[in-house]
Amino acid sequence: SYMSNFFEELKRRKVFRVSGSYAVVAWIIMQIGEVTFPALHLPDWILTAVVVVLLIGFPIVAIVAWIFDRTPDGVVKTQPLSSIEAAPPTQVGDMTVKTDARPIYLKKRNIFLVLGVVAGIMIGQINLFGDGGEKLVNYTGDRIPVAIADFENNTEDASLNGLSGLLITSLEQSNYLSVLTRSRMFDLLKQIGKPNVDIVDEKIGMEICRRADIGALVLTSIQQFGDLYTIDLKILDVETNEYLYSTNVQAEGKKNIPGLIDEISKQTRISLAERAEEVEKNQVAIASLTTKNLEAYKYFNLGEKAFYKLDFKGAIKQYLIAMEEDSTFALAAYKLAYSYQWHFMSELHDKYIKKAVKYIESVPDKERLYIRAQSIKNFQSKIPVYEEIIDKYPNEKLAYFEIGDMLFHNTRANESIAYFEKSHELDPSFEFAIQHLRWAYVGVEDHEKNIELTAKSSAIYPDDPHHKYNELNAVLYAGKFNEYFGMVRAIEDKEVQLIDTDIAFGYGYYVSGDYGKAVDRLEKAKKNTSKHWSRDGLFLLQQLAASRADRSAFLTYSDKALGFYNKNANYNFYTQTLITRARVLAGIFNEKENANMILEEIENIFNDSTNDIAFADLSGVFKLHLIDAYRLVNNDIRQNELYNQAFGVLSDNNLENAKVFLDSKNYQKAISIYNNILKGADGYQNFIANFNIGIAYMGENNYGMALKHFDSLKDNYFSGFNSRPFYYPKAFLYSGLANLELKNYRLAKSNIETFLQIWEPAPESLKEKKMAREALKKIDKAVS
C-alpha cells in the first residue's frame, strides 16, 4: 500500500533516525535554558526565541534527511528506488504531457507541501508573532477577572510602595480584563475581617480572590541592584495554587520604573488571552495617566487606602501631600475634590476640581468623565455624564451610586433607589451604596426592603458592629418592637457580644416610648470605660432629655459630655455637643440668647487652629444642625453662608426655600414646595416637611389636611438624623389641636395628653405646654 511504502521510504532515507536525534538534542537545550536563563535574570523572550528556532529547525532537518544522505563519499543526494520511474510522455491533442507515475509520497511538490503544512502548524502553535505563548484562559467574550496584590518592595525606597496602584490603573485599560478595583478590594478586606491590613500579600490576595470568585492573582516584586531595577511578575492560579506565568523586566534608573510597569502590564494582558495588537493599540504609558513623580504616587496610594476605609480626613491629608509633590497630579486633585464633597466642603471641592480639569489630559478615559461630572455645578446636568460612564462602562458601580446620590440629596429619594440598587447589585459589599440605600428605603418607608438589605449586609460584614446596629434599627424603624427586643436579648445571651446591648436596649426603649427603662439602660452604658460607647450613651441621654423637654436633665448630660471630651481633648465631639446644646436651647426651650453665646463659642473653637477642628471637619448631619441653630436664632446671613459652603454643590435648598414662605405666611407656596419634597423625601426631610406642611395647613384653617401630616409622624420611629426631639412630641400636640378644631374631642384629648406625658418634665413656662393646657380646658368645657 502507499502508506507502508511511504514508511519504508522514510526508514530507508533515515528520516526517523535524524529527526529522533534532533528531538533529543533540542529537548536537552530547552531544559538547560529553562533552568539557567531565570537564574541569569535573562528576559523570558530569549528562552522563547530558542524554543521557536528549535521548532522551526525540526521540519528543516526532516526535509534535509529526506533529500540528502551521509555516505563514505560525503553528503550526497538520496537516490530514488530503481523500480520507480516516471511514465513516458503522452500526446493530448497538440500538447505533450509528462505524467508522474510515482506514488504521492515520492513527488517532491507534495513532500514539501506536507512538510510546510506541518511546520506552519507547529509555528502557529508556538505563536511566533507575539500573541504571548499559550493562553492561560480561553477568552469567551466575558472579561477575565483578575486581582493585583501589593508590590513586594525589596528595596529600601519607600516611594516604591504604591506601585500596585499604577499596575491596576494600567491594566484597567484592557477591554479583556476585569481588574479588581481598590474600592472592591477594601470592601473584601472588611468582609474577611482584615480591614486594617496595610499590605495585600499572596496569602491575603488568595483569600480575597476566593471571596470574590477570581481565578488569577498577579504577584509582583521589585529589587534594586545599584542603579538597576528589576521587577518580577508571576500570575497565580488561585484554584490550583500554581504559577501560570512568570516574567522579569529590568531597567537602569528609577525614572524608568513607570516604563517597567507598562511592560509587565503588557505581558500580563497578553498572557491572559489578549492579542498583542490589541494591547499595542490601547495601552497608554502609565506615567501619562498618573504622575511621573513616584514620591507623589506613594502619598496618593496612602490616600486611596484611607479613602476606601472611609477615613476621608486621613485621605485628604495624603492627597494634599501628593499634590505638593506634583501640582499637576490630576488624579490626586480629583480625589481631593471628591473627598471634600463627601465632607460637604464645597469651596475646597471647587478649588481642586478646577485643578483636575486643568490637567485632565493626564488621567485615564474613565476618570476624565468623572472629573467632567464633578466639575458641573448643576446636579441635573451631572447626571447625563454619569449615564455616559454607565454606557461605556456598564459595571461601573460608582457611576450608578453618583446618580442616586444626586437625586437623593435633592429630595428625590424615591427616584434614587433604582440607581442605589443597581450599584449594590454590582457590588453587594459597597458601603456607600448600602448606607444610602438604607436611608432611601427609610425615606419611602419601605421597611421590609430595609430589613432585608441590612440583614444581608450584616452577613457580609459579620464582625462589624456598625452593620449589626443597622440590622437591629431596620426592625426598630418598622415599629416591630417585640422582634427588636428579642434580637437584642439573643445577642445579650451570647458569650461574645458584638455590640453594646445596653445602648441597643436604651435606644429601643427611647424610640418605643418607655423612657424610664431607656434612662436606666443608657446610664449603664454611659459608665462603660470605652470612649465610643460613652459617647453613644451620653448622646442618646441628651436626645432623650431633649425629646421630653427635660431642661435640667439635658443640661446635666450635656455638661457631662463636655467635661468628658474636654478631658480627652476630643474637640470634634466637644463641638458636636455644643451644636446640639445650641440647637436644643433655641429650638425647644426658646433660649436664643444662650444659644447665641454657644454659637460664638463654636466659632472661637473653629478659629483656633490648635483645636484641629473646623466647620469643614463636621459630618454632614452636624453641619445641618449648626445651620439650623443659626436659623433658630434668626442669623440668616451666617445660616446661608454655611449652607452654601457645605451643600451648595449638592442641593437646591428646597427645605429652606419652603421655610421662608412658611415664615412669611405664604402658606400655599410653602405647601406646594413641601408637597414636592415629600414625593422623594428622605427620613430627615420627612420629619421637617410633614411637620411644617401641617403648620401651613393649620394657617390655612385646613385642619383635616393638617391632621393627616401630623398623624404621619406618630408612627415614624426613625431618628431623623437626630431631629426626632424637635418634631415627634409636637406632632401629638398639633394633632390634638387640629382634632379640637374639627370637634373630635376624644381624639384631641388623647393626643394632647400623650404630648403632656412625653413632656411631663418640661417647664410649664414653655409655649407648647401652655398651648396644651389651654386646649385641655377647651375640651373639658366643650364636653361638659
Side-chain angles (χ1 to χ4, degrees):
S1 67
Y2 277 139
M3 288 304 297
S4 61
N5 290 336
F6 176 61
F7 281 111
E8 286 299 322
E9 186 68 5
L10 286 174
K11 286 193 289 183
R12 187 181 75 82
R13 293 173 180 253
K14 301 183 179 66
V15 172
F16 287 134
R17 183 187 302 174
V18 172
S19 299
S21 300
Y22 180 87
V24 170
V25 172
W27 183 81
I28 292 171
I29 292 172
M30 286 189 286
Q31 291 300 306
I32 293 172
E34 188 175 359
V35 173
T36 59
F37 287 10
L40 295 171
H41 292 290
L42 297 177
D44 277 6
W45 66 264
I46 295 180
L47 180 59
T48 303
V50 170
V51 173
V52 168
V53 170
L54 291 172
L55 289 174
I56 291 174
F58 179 80
I60 295 174
V61 167
I63 292 171
V64 170
W66 177 274
I67 298 174
F68 298 100
D69 193 12
R70 187 171 178 276
T71 69
D73 298 325
V75 177
V76 298
K77 186 175 181 180
T78 305
Q79 294 300 314
L81 293 172
S82 58
S83 59
I84 302 172
E85 299 290 344
T90 58
Q91 196 72 24
V92 179
D94 295 331
M95 294 184 297
T96 300
V97 179
K98 292 183 178 181
T99 304
D100 193 344
R102 290 175 299 168
I104 187 171
Y105 55 84
L106 290 181
K107 295 177 183 178
K108 288 184 179 179
R109 181 181 61 190
N110 292 337
I111 293 168
F112 282 104
L113 178 62
V114 170
L115 290 174
V117 170
V118 170
I121 291 172
M122 293 176 69
I123 293 171
Q125 287 299 310
I126 63 173
N127 200 3
L128 177 61
F129 298 104
D131 271 0
E134 184 181 353
K135 306 301 182 187
L136 303 183
V137 182
N138 291 320
Y139 185 67
T140 62
D142 296 326
R143 286 179 179 245
I144 300 163
V146 59
I148 318 296
D150 283 319
F151 261 72
E152 181 184 333
N153 184 1
N154 295 319
T155 75
E156 295 181 357
D157 189 345
S159 68
L160 304 181
N161 286 340
L163 296 182
S164 59
L166 291 173
L167 182 56
I168 289 171
T169 301
S170 181
L171 289 175
E172 283 182 328
Q173 299 174 72
S174 171
N175 295 322
Y176 290 75
L177 303 181
S178 175
V179 184
L180 185 70
T181 63
R182 287 297 188 91
S183 167
R184 180 81 170 118
M185 179 173 284
F186 281 101
D187 285 337
L188 288 165
L189 282 171
K190 290 180 209 169
Q191 289 180 43
I192 64 176
K194 297 178 180 177
N196 298 316
V197 164
D198 290 325
I199 301 293
V200 176
D201 58 16
E202 180 176 337
K203 180 180 178 183
I204 295 174
M206 288 185 69
E207 287 185 63
I208 289 172
C209 287
R210 291 190 182 106
R211 185 83 179 198
D213 196 24
I214 293 173
L217 175 66
V218 177
L219 301 165
T220 45
S221 63
I222 183 166
Q223 294 84 29
Q224 180 182 2
F225 306 97
D227 289 333
L228 181 69
Y229 289 88
T230 303
I231 293 179
D232 291 317
L233 167 75
K234 296 177 181 177
I235 299 179
L236 181 67
D237 185 323
V238 175
E239 185 175 349
T240 64
N241 199 25
E242 294 179 353
Y243 294 120
L244 298 171
Y245 178 79
S246 65
T247 190
N248 173 284
V249 294
Q250 54 192 5
E252 295 278 347
K254 184 175 176 180
K255 66 180 182 180
N256 291 317
I257 289 176
L260 295 181
I261 300 293
D262 292 330
E263 182 58 32
I264 63 170
S265 173
K266 287 180 183 179
Q267 295 196 32
T268 300
R269 291 171 64 177
I270 292 171
S271 71
L272 289 170
E274 192 165 353
R275 293 186 297 275
E277 58 268 26
E278 285 284 333
V279 176
E280 292 297 334
K281 184 173 68 175
N282 62 22
Q283 172 126 348
V284 180
I286 191 61
S288 66
L289 295 179
T290 51
T291 176
K292 296 176 182 178
N293 188 323
L294 292 176
E295 191 73 16
Y297 195 84
K298 177 188 78 172
Y299 289 107
F300 175 76
N301 183 61
L302 292 172
E304 291 288 85
K305 289 185 175 183
F307 179 89
Y308 289 115
K309 291 177 182 177
L310 306 186
D311 175 14
F312 293 105
K313 193 169 183 177
I316 287 169
K317 179 181 178 181
Q318 300 298 339
Y319 292 146
L320 284 171
I321 299 174
M323 290 296 295
E324 288 174 7
E325 294 288 338
D326 180 1
S327 61
T328 68
F329 194 173
L331 266 181
Y334 159 63
K335 292 306 289 281
L336 259 176
Y338 191 88
S339 299
Y340 281 131
Q341 175 186 294
W342 193 267
H343 243 324
F344 304 102
M345 300 157 78
S346 294
E347 291 179 2
L348 288 168
H349 165 275
D350 293 347
K351 173 184 175 180
Y352 284 99
I353 202 64
K354 285 177 183 175
K355 182 156 282 195
V357 170
K358 183 177 180 180
Y359 301 107
I360 197 170
E361 294 302 317
S362 63
V363 299
D365 291 341
K366 183 172 66 179
E367 281 71 18
R368 290 184 193 185
L369 291 171
Y370 277 110
I371 290 172
R372 274 181 50 204
Q374 284 284 316
S375 68
I376 297 170
K377 284 281 188 182
N378 181 272
F379 87 92
Q380 299 247 28
S381 302
K382 292 174 183 278
I383 292 177
V385 183
Y386 288 121
E387 289 175 337
E388 183 180 347
I389 295 174
I390 291 169
D391 184 56
K392 291 183 177 179
Y393 309 95
N395 294 328
E396 191 61 18
K397 66 182 182 184
L398 187 59
Y400 284 102
F401 171 80
E402 286 296 326
I403 295 175
D405 196 51
M406 291 294 104
L407 296 170
F408 179 83
H409 287 291
N410 287 277
T411 62
R412 292 164 65 179
N414 55 331
E415 297 175 52
S416 75
I417 287 174
Y419 293 97
F420 289 145
E421 286 180 336
K422 182 61 179 178
S423 180
H424 180 253
E425 177 191 331
L426 289 169
D427 181 359
S429 65
F430 187 29
E431 294 235 54
F432 293 177
I434 294 170
Q435 179 192 61
H436 282 66
L437 193 50
R438 280 195 302 107
W439 292 345
Y441 283 148
V442 169
V444 300
E445 298 183 340
D446 194 339
H447 296 294
E448 292 306 317
K449 280 192 175 180
N450 191 33
I451 290 170
E452 180 183 353
L453 169 69
T454 54
K456 287 181 179 178
S457 302
S458 187
I460 290 173
Y461 296 104
D463 300 320
D464 190 333
H466 174 74
H467 286 280
K468 179 54 68 175
Y469 277 119
N470 289 338
E471 182 183 3
L472 290 169
N473 289 341
V475 176
L476 184 64
Y477 298 154
K480 298 181 177 184
F481 300 134
N482 290 336
E483 185 177 340
Y484 173 85
F485 289 117
M487 292 170 69
V488 178
R489 287 189 193 97
I491 295 171
E492 191 175 42
D493 290 339
K494 292 181 179 179
E495 187 174 340
V496 178
Q497 297 174 8
L498 184 62
I499 65 169
D500 188 322
T501 51
D502 288 320
I503 293 286
F505 273 118
Y507 186 50
Y509 288 134
Y510 161 48
V511 170
S512 62
D514 196 336
Y515 302 117
K517 286 185 178 180
V519 170
D520 290 342
R521 280 289 192 164
L522 293 174
E523 282 278 2
K524 187 178 178 182
K526 179 178 66 67
K527 294 174 184 176
N528 189 306
T529 56
S530 164
K531 292 180 183 180
H532 182 65
W533 299 137
S534 293
R535 173 183 177 267
D536 284 351
L538 280 169
F539 183 76
L540 284 174
L541 283 165
Q542 291 172 73
Q543 291 285 294
L544 192 155
S547 291
R548 305 202 69 195
D550 188 341
R551 187 179 185 277
S552 175
F554 173 77
L555 292 177
T556 297
Y557 293 127
S558 181
D559 286 342
K560 286 184 177 180
L562 290 171
F564 182 83
Y565 300 134
N566 181 50
K567 179 181 177 182
N568 290 282
N570 191 329
Y571 293 108
N572 195 327
F573 289 166
Y574 185 91
T575 306
Q576 290 179 16
T577 305
L578 285 180
I579 291 170
T580 301
R581 190 172 179 126
R583 190 180 181 216
V584 168
L585 289 177
I588 292 178
F589 300 110
N590 199 31
E591 297 181 20
K592 295 183 180 179
E593 187 175 340
N594 284 339
N596 260 319
M597 291 173 61
I598 294 169
L599 291 173
E600 288 178 12
E601 184 181 351
I602 292 169
E603 295 289 354
N604 290 335
I605 291 172
F606 288 159
N607 293 329
D608 185 348
S609 60
T610 62
N611 293 324
D612 197 28
I613 179 69
F615 175 72
D617 298 319
L618 297 174
S619 67
V621 169
F622 280 96
K623 282 186 172 77
L624 281 172
H625 291 333
L626 182 58
I627 291 166
D628 198 43
Y630 276 110
R631 179 184 63 79
L632 289 166
V633 299
N634 303 316
N635 189 339
D636 295 339
I637 294 175
R638 187 60 173 156
Q639 172 199 349
N640 291 328
E641 182 179 273
L642 292 179
Y643 188 91
N644 290 329
Q645 185 177 330
F647 305 108
V649 73
L650 278 179
S651 173
D652 50 21
N653 205 7
N654 279 333
L655 280 173
E656 288 303 320
N657 294 336
K659 189 67 170 61
V660 169
F661 288 114
L662 180 63
D663 292 342
S664 64
K665 298 185 178 180
N666 187 343
Y667 298 124
Q668 281 299 314
K669 186 65 176 176
I671 288 168
S672 174
I673 297 175
Y674 280 129
N675 273 326
N676 280 330
I677 290 172
L678 285 174
K679 291 177 183 176
D682 62 27
Y684 168 76
Q685 296 156 351
N686 249 325
F687 266 117
I688 299 172
N690 271 307
F691 185 84
N692 285 339
I693 202 171
I695 296 295
Y697 276 123
M698 293 288 281
E700 288 272 290
N701 299 325
N702 188 342
Y703 302 112
M705 288 300 294
L707 192 61
K708 170 188 169 185
H709 289 278
F710 290 130
D711 282 352
S712 72
L713 293 179
K714 294 178 188 177
D715 296 328
N716 189 332
Y717 302 110
F718 182 54
S719 69
F721 299 118
N722 310 327
S723 292
R724 183 180 178 82
F726 301 90
Y727 302 104
Y728 177 75
K730 294 178 184 179
F732 288 94
L733 169 64
Y734 283 98
S735 179
L737 295 176
N739 272 304
L740 175 57
E741 294 294 340
L742 293 169
K743 299 182 179 180
N744 298 326
Y745 297 119
R746 293 184 185 278
L747 287 172
K749 184 175 183 179
S750 175
N751 278 287
I752 290 172
E753 285 178 343
T754 299
F755 166 73
L756 287 172
Q757 182 183 6
I758 296 171
W759 268 36
E760 187 273 329
E764 292 293 329
S765 59
L766 291 182
K767 178 185 72 173
E768 288 84 0
K769 204 159 186 181
K770 288 180 179 179
M771 292 166 63
R773 300 291 187 204
E774 289 297 320
L776 283 180
K777 290 178 182 178
K778 289 181 181 179
I779 293 168
D780 289 341
K781 185 177 180 179
V783 298
S784 61

